């Protein structure tokens, strides 16, 4: 199947795109089993096209026993029945493409489910041909685990002993998520075949889960003490880059320019960007690599500007940054930052800095995390709050309604009634309208997508060396040919003076509901986009 969308040889589509992450279990339920599904997503495609996003990324939809809600895959080429059928998938991708959008799938290469037939074989005997597809080791002579690695979930060792064959297997996450051994070429071939399978079915790319971990191969010796509980941060190995260069060759052999964005959970300067490969003149690896530093930065101007400037330096051309504030693993930024005004200003940041923005479903509604009572906690790592179902309609309570035919698998966000989609669509003062306006501006103004970026030194934003500087205003300028756009974000809960050199600039957009023109002081947490 070929992709019906035009591709420009000049600018890869993903540099122009805004990607919208859908956590399918929580998006929309078409069959009333309380869990969102593919037909549910298809039913909301007009909503998404109208919002103005360019690509959808679906968190895992493959066959899974759901110990980690799909990040434990039992068949890399099968759709889990809870999400629907192959036909539902074909309807979805056709509907996405018909609306000019693209579809990305979540690909989980580091580990499979322990229910995957590969692991069932692997654990069956020491001489099974698939034994070496996973990472097996003998216990130490004192009976303790083979090495000191700790799992990222539940604070247990990353090794589980299997009595049947008297060896232990590695799992950086749950014991039900055994790590694959990418040093075995058959593993590489099988996983890369799964990419081909979905590319042949028309998908436009992948988000690769914890992708830096695959480079560990069988190099799983003791870690230094400070990394024992964080093996994810300890696996930046040359072998991973080699694997990604081969994956890139595979992706680039398809004409429709499939894109891979990697979840690279490495937070030191330069680390995430190094997974683009070509940034230092090497061969290309990932097209995009998440940089989670801004997500881990509090809403304070000096810290946020610091993170943005570091990211910009790391991902300078030919690199290309991403921007993400929320996803299915972290408390939503609306909840983290505490106020709607801040979330509105953050939306301006997300959609105006250089790079490809990734939005998490529901942030366009300003949704808060759900409050999940202990008896309803289901995630092994306590991430249920940010996975609360999307409220489509206002009618309902914490548990039922809101456009879901039956009580969903998790309680709704705490502001579901006031912030349901139906309440916000069409209300010019809503968060939804702000996102829609921002996405339209990006489409209209190439400078917001391709322009260079330059940050002003942190002061009150007027760039002048005067003493009204209070240091809470981030200001940057995007330039493309003779188009110039300035973005100002007041990260303080006090008003800030309007920059004197911008007294007459035209206001393209403001997050303050009563701004009419330039000149008057910036409201607390106001963000403005100006055209020079
Ligand atoms: C990634 C996913 C997370 C999952 C983990 C293990 O961090 O985003 O949800 O639990 O990998 O696959």
């Amino acid at each position: 199947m070929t992709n019906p969308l035009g591709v420009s040889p000049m600018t890869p589509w993903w540099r122009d795109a805004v990607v919208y992450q859908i956590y399918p279990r929580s998006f929309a339920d078409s069959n009333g089993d309380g869990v969102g599904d593919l037909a549910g997503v298809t039913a909301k495609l007009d909503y998404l096209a109208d919002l103005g996003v360019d690509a959808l990324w679906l968190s895992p939809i493959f066959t899974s026993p759901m110990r980690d809600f799909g990040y434990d895959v039992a068949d890399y080429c099968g759709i889990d029945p809870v999400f629907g059928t192959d036909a539902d998938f074909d309807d979805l991708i056709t509907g996405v493409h018909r609306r000019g959008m693209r579809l990305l799938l979540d690909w989980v290469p580091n580990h499979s489910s322990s229910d995957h037939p590969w692991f069932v074989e692997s654990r069956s005997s020491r001489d099974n041909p698939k034994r070496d597809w996973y990472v097996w080791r003998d216990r130490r002579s004192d009976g303790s685990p083979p090495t000191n690695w700790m799992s990222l979930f539940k604070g247990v060792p990353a090794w589980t002993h299997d009595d049947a064959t008297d060896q232990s297997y590695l799992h950086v996450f749950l014991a039900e998520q055994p790590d694959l051994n990418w040093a075995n070429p058959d593993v590489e071939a099988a996983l890369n075949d799964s990419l081909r399978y979905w590319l042949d079915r028309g998908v436009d790319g992948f988000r690769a889960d914890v992708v830096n971990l695959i480079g560990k191969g069988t190099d799983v010796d003791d870690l230094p003490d400070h990394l024992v509980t964080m093996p994810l941060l300890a696996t930046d190995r040359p072998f991973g880059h080699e694997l990604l260069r081969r994956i890139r060759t595979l992706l680039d052999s398809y004409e429709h320019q499939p894109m891979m964005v990697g979840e690279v959970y490495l937070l030191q300067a330069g680390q995430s960007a190094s997974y683009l490969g070509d940034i230092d003149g090497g061969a290309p690896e990932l097209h995009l690599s998440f940089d989670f530093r801004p997500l881990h930065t509090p809403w304070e101007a000096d810290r946020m500007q610091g993170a943005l400037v570091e990211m910009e330096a790391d991902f300078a051309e030919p690199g290309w940054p991403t921007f993400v504030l929320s996803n299915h693993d972290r408390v939503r930024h609306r909840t983290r930052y505490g106020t709607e005004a801040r979330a509105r200003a953050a939306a301006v940041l997300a959609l105006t800095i250089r790079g490809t923005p990734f939005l998490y479903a529901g942030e366009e509604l300003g949704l808060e995390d759900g409050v999940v009572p202990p008896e309803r906690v289901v995630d092994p790592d306590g991430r249920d709050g940010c996975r609360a179902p999307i409220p489509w309609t206002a009618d309902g309570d914490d548990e039922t309604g809101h456009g879901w035919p039956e009580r969903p698998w998790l309680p709704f966000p705490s502001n579901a009634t006031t912030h349901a989609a139906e309440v916000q669509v069409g209300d010019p003062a809503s968060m939804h309208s702000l996102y829609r306006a921002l996405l339209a501006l990006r489409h209209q103004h190439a400078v917001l997508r391709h322009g260079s970026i330059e940050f002003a030194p942190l002061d009150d934003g007027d760039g002048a060396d005067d003493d009204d500087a209070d240091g809470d205003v981030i200001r940057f300028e995007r330039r493309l040919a003779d188009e110039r756009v300035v973005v100002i974000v007041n990260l303080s809960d006090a008003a800030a003076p309007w920059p004197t050199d911008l007294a007459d600039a035209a206001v393209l957009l403001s997050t303050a509901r009563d701004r009419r023109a330039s000149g008057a002081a910036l409201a607390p947490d106001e963000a403005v986009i100006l055209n020079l």
Side-chain angles (χ1 to χ4, degrees), residues 175-493:
E176 293 85 1
Q177 293 168 295
D179 280 48
L180 285 153
N181 170 21
W182 274 76
N184 182 321
D186 294 336
V187 169
E188 182 182 350
L191 268 295
N192 290 356
D193 276 348
S194 72
L195 293 176
R196 288 191 191 88
Y197 174 82
W198 292 106
L199 290 168
D200 291 341
R201 287 189 65 177
V203 312
D204 301 289
F206 303 92
R207 176 262 192 190
D209 189 64
V210 288
V211 76
N212 55 293
L213 267 175
I214 65 177
K216 67 186 179 303
T218 51
D219 185 0
V220 293
D221 292 346
D222 279 346
L223 290 169
D225 286 349
H226 69 287
L227 289 173
V228 165
T229 54
M230 269 292 144
L232 191 50
L233 302 181
T235 51
D236 185 19
R237 312 262 167 88
F239 181 54
H241 296 272
E242 191 182 318
L243 294 169
L244 287 172
R245 286 194 286 273
R246 293 201 280 269
I247 288 174
R248 178 63 176 261
T249 304
L250 184 168
L251 296 168
D252 285 352
S253 72
Y254 283 77
E255 262 176 34
H256 66 284
Q257 298 185 345
M259 180 271 271
M260 181 173 277
V261 54
E263 186 199 21
V264 176
Y265 235 109
L266 297 168
L267 303 174
Q268 302 297 314
Q271 279 185 316
S272 171
S274 76
Y275 281 77
L276 302 184
D278 52 3
I279 210 149
D280 300 317
E285 299 172 23
L286 296 169
H287 301 85
L288 293 173
S289 181
F290 284 135
D291 184 331
F292 293 111
R293 287 175 291 184
L295 185 153
H296 288 283
T297 300
W299 189 249
E300 292 165 19
D302 54 341
R303 309 262 312 260
M304 188 55 86
Q305 172 136 330
L308 297 175
V309 167
E310 274 174 29
M311 188 165 82
E312 186 50 37
D314 282 1
F315 289 87
E317 287 282 359
W320 189 258
T322 57
F323 192 76
V324 42
L325 287 177
S326 288
N327 62 32
H328 64 294
D329 290 331
R330 306 281 155 191
V331 173
R332 283 181 177 277
H333 67 268
R334 167 66 185 83
T335 299
R336 280 195 333 260
Y337 293 161
T339 68
E340 181 144 329
R342 289 181 180 184
R344 290 171 67 83
V348 171
L349 254 193
L351 291 163
T352 58
I353 72 156
R354 197 178 76 92
T356 299
F358 283 73
L359 309 180
Y360 179 48
E363 75 171 76
E364 82 280 15
L365 302 174
L367 295 180
E368 295 228 42
D369 271 24
V371 178
V372 184
E375 68 279 8
R376 294 208 58 193
V377 168
V378 286
D379 180 57
D381 202 33
R383 298 162 294 184
D384 301 299
C386 62
R387 300 171 178 180
I390 303 291
W392 295 102
T393 59
D395 58 301
D397 54 29
D398 291 350
E399 299 277 339
T400 56
H402 300 301
W404 286 66
E406 290 298 330
R407 178 183 188 252
W409 70 298
L410 285 174
F412 285 99
S414 51
N415 56 353
T417 301
T418 51
H419 286 68
E422 142 190 276
V423 177
Q424 293 195 51
V425 172
D427 169 3
S430 72
M431 184 73 94
H432 180 271
S433 293
L434 173 69
Y435 271 81
R436 200 165 170 273
L438 282 164
L439 288 159
L441 267 189
R442 277 183 74 91
H443 283 127
Q444 285 153 19
H445 296 267
V447 62
L448 288 174
R449 307 191 308 275
H450 309 301
S452 62
I453 188 166
E454 197 178 327
F455 288 87
L458 251 200
D459 53 19
D460 60 353
D462 64 6
D465 189 15
D466 50 31
D467 25 84
D468 60 7
D470 59 13
D472 284 331
V473 176
I474 291 180
R475 167 178 172 168
F476 56 86
E477 179 166 331
R478 308 284 317 265
R479 269 188 205 227
L480 184 70
D482 49 11
E483 227 193 322
R484 290 171 65 195
V485 166
V486 172
V487 178
I488 324 176
V489 187
N490 179 12
L491 282 85
S492 128
D493 41 22

